[in-house]
Amino acid sequence: QRWTYPSAADIRGRPLRELGAAVKRDVRPTIEQFATISLCGGIGSSASNLICTPIAVVKTKQQVGDATPPATLFAGAQALAAGSFVAGAAFFGVSALIRYSIEGDSTRMVAASVGATLVATVFFAPFESARVAAMAAPKQPPNLVTAWGIAVRDGGVAALFTALDALLARDLAFGLIQLAIYDLSRRGLYAAWP
């Protein structure tokens, strides 16, 4: 039996609260399906971040009070796209794995969010250090491998994870707040429109 999504015919006329569980959970996804979830998460994360790189470059320059035009609007794009792919694949894959391994809706949602965020953020940290180095470069930004090489040369492998604590704090706080608001709004909407 395949892991399926309902068709439009299955959805019509059903109460809203039943549609919150659009994926049938009666069968645990296969390894291939988890791999597909991870791959799709990686592709989606990477593509969306790559497309928005020029906005992030301009935003970062404004945040640090640097009025000079960026050397390139795609400074750090290589690191961001690669890091987003790895982190997105990890997040979506780990999240799906946890959701299908734990019983109980609230427990499953919190565990999936926290576990997936921890794994994805640890994987993303070295890419973020390269992205920041590329965006801070006064002229031509270094590519991903060069940025990693400079960081490791100057500060050892630990230099790739210098912002890990701040990234974890930001990402976990964001994820848990987002999840809490989602859950409260979901309950309110389901109560208002059963």
Side-chain angles (χ1 to χ4, degrees), residues 29-164:
T30 65
I31 295 296
E32 292 83 11
Q33 289 165 327
F34 278 121
T36 300
I37 291 167
S38 294
L39 182 61
C40 291
I43 291 169
S45 296
S46 182
S48 60
N49 278 294
L50 184 60
I51 290 166
C52 294
T53 295
I55 297 167
V57 169
V58 171
K59 174 195 70 83
T60 301
K61 298 229 7 124
Q62 288 176 348
Q63 286 176 310
V64 298
D66 185 352
T68 62
T72 172
L73 287 177
F74 285 93
Q78 184 185 37
L80 184 60
S84 296
F85 179 83
V86 171
F91 181 86
F92 282 89
V94 170
S95 177
L97 181 65
I98 293 172
R99 280 195 323 266
Y100 288 93
S101 300
I102 297 175
E103 295 297 322
D105 279 344
S106 295
T107 304
R108 180 176 38 235
M109 290 286 286
V110 170
S113 178
V114 169
T117 298
L118 285 171
V119 172
T121 303
V122 169
F123 284 161
F124 185 70
F127 295 95
E128 175 68 1
S129 71
R131 184 189 72 83
V132 169
M135 291 178 79
K139 295 189 180 183
Q140 183 61 31
N143 66 33
L144 176 60
V145 175
T146 302
W148 279 343
I150 293 167
V152 170
R153 181 195 69 212
D154 294 346
V157 174
L160 298 176
F161 296 92
T162 55
L164 182 59

